[in-house]
Amino acid sequence: MPFFLCWGFAIWLVASAVFRLMGHYFFILEKPLFMMTAFILVIPLIWIATIPIYSLKKIKGSERLLAAICIALPGMLIDAIVLLVFDNVFPNLSADVDRYFAAWLLLAYSLLLITGFTKASFVKKKTIHS
């Protein structure tokens, strides 16, 4: 499972960099459509970042849930600290949007954990039709 811990850290690093550099385009209180877009975009992004990896690594059953936990854990632990020093880590974001950012994080990590319960795969099963 070390691969999935590293993958989780990489996802966290990329997402944090995106919000550090461009978060002020997503979390604008005066433009709720942009904020809703950030919340909606996280759904396919989490799916794209996890499901292909499960298929590539041939992770099935309860191992998939364990992999999802390992992917989520590094970011959750780091973000617990990041949210305490939000103003310093994300100076481009207004302090007023910290709760929206935290809500976005909760949604992202929840979706990530949900992928551990899915049975979706990119490999088609061969079936015989009569």
Side-chain angles (χ1 to χ4, degrees):
M1 291 296 146
F3 169 82
F4 293 104
L5 289 169
C6 292
W7 185 247
F9 178 76
I11 292 171
W12 170 83
L13 189 62
V14 169
S16 294
V18 167
F19 285 112
R20 174 67 172 85
L21 299 172
M22 297 183 293
H24 55 282
Y25 294 118
F26 296 107
F27 294 104
I28 305 170
L29 294 176
E30 296 80 25
K31 296 184 180 179
L33 185 60
F34 289 154
M35 204 174 317
M36 287 189 312
T37 301
F39 278 80
I40 292 169
L41 278 178
V42 74
I43 297 168
L45 290 175
I46 292 294
W47 190 264
I48 290 167
T50 55
I51 299 301
I53 297 299
Y54 299 153
S55 294
L56 181 70
K57 292 289 190 175
K58 296 176 177 50
I59 302 296
K60 296 179 182 165
S62 61
E63 286 182 349
R64 187 174 284 223
L65 182 56
L66 181 58
I69 291 168
C70 288
I71 293 170
L73 200 55
M76 291 175 79
L77 292 171
I78 297 168
D79 280 333
I81 296 165
V82 165
L83 288 172
L84 292 174
V85 291
F86 181 82
D87 296 341
N88 296 326
V89 177
F90 300 105
N92 59 325
L93 295 175
S94 165
D96 295 338
V97 301
D98 62 348
R99 65 179 158 212
Y100 300 105
F101 183 72
W104 185 89
L105 288 174
L106 284 172
L107 175 64
Y109 290 124
S110 297
L111 291 169
L112 204 156
L113 292 172
I114 287 170
T115 67
F117 292 101
T118 63
K119 295 186 189 278
S121 177
F122 288 110
V123 179
K124 288 188 175 185
K125 295 179 182 177
K126 293 181 182 179
T127 58
I128 300 173
H129 298 287
S130 46

